[in-house]
Amino acid sequence: MLIEEVTENVAELVDSLNFAEKVERSLELINRAYKEFGDGLVVANSLGKDSSVVWDLAKRVSPRIRGFIVTTRFKPPETKQFMTEEVSRYPELKVFSNDEQIPDKLYETDPDKCCEILKVKPTRQAVKEMGVGCWVTGLRCTEGRTRTDFKEIEQLDKGLIKLNPILVWYEREVWQYLALNRVRVNPLYAKGYRSLGCWPCTKIVQGADERAGRWIGTSKCGGECGIHTKPLLDYQI
Ligand code: SF4
């Protein structure tokens, strides 16, 4: 079983593997998971640069691999346009969202609740509707303060494995892969963004922490929307 393997020292791998070795390792992780889970292996595609790498790697493993996108009413127009283009190119990418009414400016007054309603709920719905046994993410342990403790293979929910195949990649290596393989990326990166999210909660920042521009001015600054930290199964949808 995949979950019983690969518990190496992640921090060590970040510097001990070179770019080519990281690509090989990521492909191998997806390949092994795909052999175990088949169509139950599904990529979570956030339309950011890391997801674009993982999506491309997954397509190299098998063109059959499916994915899901969780979108919200607050995604920037560039991300919505990129989503439309990607879905038309890859019909196996399914889009999930939650249109329920929420208080005005909930992203300012209670961003955790806003993310729970607009992001975590549709992710639970995607996992359930698509029959996901293993979801594949673009998490990287060098992205920011909240991402240092993840593992390449995790199990937060019974019956649901999470695979983080590019966990040990640097930001530079993500761009290296995208450039070398001519992978299309969200046009917002051309404007200077380094981490993408909903427009009210995402700013352009410099510095070591890629995610520092997320939720600036709130208790959630540089943090997480919740899909990687909250249970995704056993909820009423
Ligand atoms: S990122 Fe901001 S706008 Fe988007 S769901 Fe979370 S709090 Fe709401």
Side-chain angles (χ1 to χ4, degrees), residues 28-213:
E28 174 64 17
L29 283 169
I30 299 170
N31 195 27
R32 280 175 42 207
Y34 186 57
K35 278 190 182 140
E36 183 167 335
F37 293 93
D39 286 345
L41 178 129
V42 177
V43 175
N45 189 333
S46 72
L47 303 169
K49 64 189 189 309
D50 310 294
S51 287
S52 293
V53 168
V54 170
W55 185 244
D56 193 78
L57 290 167
K59 293 282 117 181
R60 285 169 65 177
V61 169
S62 169
R64 273 182 59 99
I65 291 178
R66 300 175 300 157
F68 68 83
I69 294 169
V70 169
T71 191
T72 78
R73 66 201 76 178
F74 298 118
K75 290 290 181 184
E78 292 90 341
T79 298
K80 288 183 183 166
Q81 177 61 30
F82 184 55
M83 178 177 78
T84 304
E85 290 164 10
E86 288 296 276
V87 170
S88 116
R89 198 159 170 229
Y90 301 106
E92 66 274 24
L93 268 176
K94 302 293 172 208
V95 178
F96 293 82
S97 61
N98 185 354
D99 298 329
E100 74 183 63
Q101 287 285 325
I102 58 172
D104 196 29
K105 298 207 171 171
L106 188 60
Y107 50 77
E108 283 179 7
T109 56
D110 193 345
D112 278 326
K113 190 163 187 191
C114 189
C115 279
E116 166 72 22
I117 296 169
L118 299 186
K119 290 185 166 182
V120 180
K121 271 190 175 183
T123 303
R124 289 183 185 131
Q125 187 189 358
V127 166
K128 190 172 181 183
E129 278 186 22
M130 295 183 79
V132 180
C134 175
W135 64 304
V136 189
T137 87
L139 268 180
R140 291 181 16 257
C141 64
T142 59
E143 268 180 290
R145 62 177 175 82
T146 59
R147 300 216 159 167
T148 55
D149 293 332
F150 288 96
K151 303 275 180 242
E152 286 173 314
I153 300 166
E154 302 182 312
Q155 188 169 30
L156 283 185
D157 301 87
K158 200 168 187 296
L160 179 65
I161 299 290
K162 180 162 76 165
L163 180 66
N164 306 314
I166 63 165
L167 190 70
V168 300
W169 291 34
Y170 280 117
E171 183 181 23
R172 165 183 59 79
E173 291 163 329
V174 166
W175 287 112
Q176 202 170 345
Y177 181 92
L178 294 168
L180 288 168
N181 293 283
R182 294 184 170 81
V183 179
R184 291 147 40 98
V185 293
N186 191 315
L188 284 172
Y189 290 112
K191 296 192 171 179
Y193 289 93
R194 291 169 67 203
S195 177
L196 305 181
C198 298
W199 63 260
C201 307
T202 310
K203 300 281 180 287
I204 295 174
V205 289
Q206 303 282 50
D209 188 339
E210 274 171 73
R211 293 176 60 80

